């Protein structure tokens, strides 16, 4: 016989919430405008943001009307990049959502609905929190942009999974061309998401007649997740 306890199931009768529920919750939401210039290309900018404390690895989601992606600057910092063309325009802003383990909750908190583990008494669900809501997960191995993925009536943000990358460096006449490629995300409208592979940094240097490293490589496999941030 099943243990006594609270359960929520969806219309397909799949269990959604019970005394064992675990999910990431929204820890921080900020709007940033990357302004730090990357060497050699004024159209690529970045900004660093501290990673909030969480007992699990935090998950970062972005909304940006033009190209954006992120890396780890170090163990405690995300580095968020934006790309704007032409470079004379102001860098785009980025809405940043960081999800992680919910903070400890007690019954003395605000008004709401709570579910506790029937053995430990720990709060496993609290209606005051904004939990992660996944709409879909997508993969791509092509340089061709993904078709806009639209969720009508929802405000979406993108979580970067595997990020495609590449680099090219070679001489053309008396000029050395140096280019960097990356997978980038964008939300061209409130409900649409796009992932694609573009040149994010490119500049030319005069050839001094000496030797230099030549390379041309790429890894175009990428993945990303679309989440629902409506009313977050």
């Amino acid at each position: 016989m099943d243990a006594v306890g609270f359960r929520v199931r969806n219309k397909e009768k799949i269990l959604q919430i019970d005394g064992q529920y675990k999910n990431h919750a929204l820890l921080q939401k900020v709007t940033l405008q990357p302004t730090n210039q990357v060497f050699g290309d004024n159209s690529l900018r970045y900004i660093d943001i501290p990673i909030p404390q969480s007992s699990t690895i935090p998950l970062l989601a972005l909304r940006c009307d033009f190209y954006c992606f992120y890396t780890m600057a170090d163990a405690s910092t995300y580095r968020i990049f934006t790309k704007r063309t032409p470079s004379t325009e102001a860098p785009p802003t980025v809405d940043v959502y960081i999800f992680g383990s919910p903070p400890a909750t007690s019954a003395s908190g605000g008004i709401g609905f709570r579910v506790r583990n029937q053995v430990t008494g720990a709060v496993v669900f609290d209606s005051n929190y904004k939990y992660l809501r996944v709409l879909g997960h997508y993969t791509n191995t092509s340089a061709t942009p993904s078709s806009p993925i639209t969720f009508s009536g929802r405000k979406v943000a993108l979580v970067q999974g595997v990020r495609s990358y590449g680099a090219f460096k070679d001489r053309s006449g008396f000029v050395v061309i140096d280019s960097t490629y990356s997978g980038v995300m964008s939300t061209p409208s409130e409900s649409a998401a796009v992932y694609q592979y573009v040149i994010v940094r490119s500049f030319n240097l005069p050839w001094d007649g000496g030797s230099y490293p030549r390379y041309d490589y790429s890894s175009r496999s990428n993945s990303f997740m679309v989440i629902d941030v409506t009313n977050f």
Side-chain angles (χ1 to χ4, degrees):
M1 179 181 292
D2 292 339
V4 175
F6 178 84
R7 296 180 180 87
V8 175
R9 298 180 184 271
N10 65 12
K11 61 181 179 180
E12 284 80 28
K13 298 183 180 179
I14 298 174
L15 185 64
Q16 302 290 291
I17 301 172
D18 67 358
Q20 304 297 318
Y21 183 80
K22 288 184 179 180
N23 195 2
H24 280 63
L26 183 67
L27 301 180
Q28 184 178 359
K29 177 193 173 185
V30 293
T31 298
L32 304 172
Q33 186 177 39
T35 56
N36 298 300
Q37 183 178 343
V38 175
F39 172 75
D41 192 333
N42 190 49
S43 66
L44 183 64
R45 304 292 184 95
Y46 72 90
I47 192 169
D48 292 341
I49 179 172
I51 300 173
Q53 284 196 330
S54 170
S55 60
T56 57
I57 298 174
L59 181 150
L60 185 142
L62 304 180
R63 280 189 52 82
C64 51
D65 65 352
F66 216 73
Y67 304 145
C68 60
F69 64 97
Y70 57 88
T71 63
M72 296 285 291
D74 54 46
S76 61
T77 310
Y78 286 119
R79 177 161 292 178
I80 300 171
F81 292 86
T82 60
K83 172 80 171 178
R84 171 73 82 185
T85 54
S87 59
T88 53
E89 295 188 15
T93 58
V94 183
D95 291 333
V96 181
Y97 304 81
I98 302 179
F99 295 83
S101 297
T105 306
S106 67
S108 61
I111 296 173
F113 180 79
R114 295 182 179 87
V115 177
R116 295 180 179 272
N117 180 282
Q118 58 265 43
V119 176
T120 66
V123 174
V124 297
F125 176 85
D126 188 325
S127 61
N128 289 293
Y129 291 152
K130 296 177 178 179
Y131 288 101
L132 183 68
R133 303 185 299 215
V134 177
L135 297 174
H137 182 268
Y138 305 90
T139 59
N140 186 19
T141 58
S142 171
T144 304
S146 68
S147 299
I149 304 164
T150 304
F151 295 87
S152 181
R154 306 288 184 91
K155 183 176 182 179
V156 301
L158 281 71
V159 178
Q160 180 179 284
V162 175
R163 180 173 60 87
S164 51
Y165 63 90
F168 171 86
K169 187 173 186 178
D170 205 349
R171 180 170 63 88
S172 177
F174 290 93
V175 174
V176 176
I177 303 169
D178 192 332
S179 299
T180 304
Y181 296 77
S182 176
V184 294
M185 307 179 293
S186 63
T187 46
S189 69
E190 187 164 273
S191 60
V194 175
Y195 193 99
Q196 59 195 103
Y197 178 76
V198 302
I199 296 175
V200 293
R201 173 176 173 268
S202 184
F203 63 98
N204 299 337
L205 293 172
W207 180 48
D208 61 6
S211 62
Y212 59 90
R214 291 180 170 88
Y215 44 77
D216 186 1
Y217 63 87
S218 66
S219 175
R220 296 180 180 179
S221 296
N222 61 68
S223 64
F224 64 101
M225 185 165 65
V226 181
I227 66 170
D228 183 3
V229 292
T230 308
N231 298 322
F232 276 21

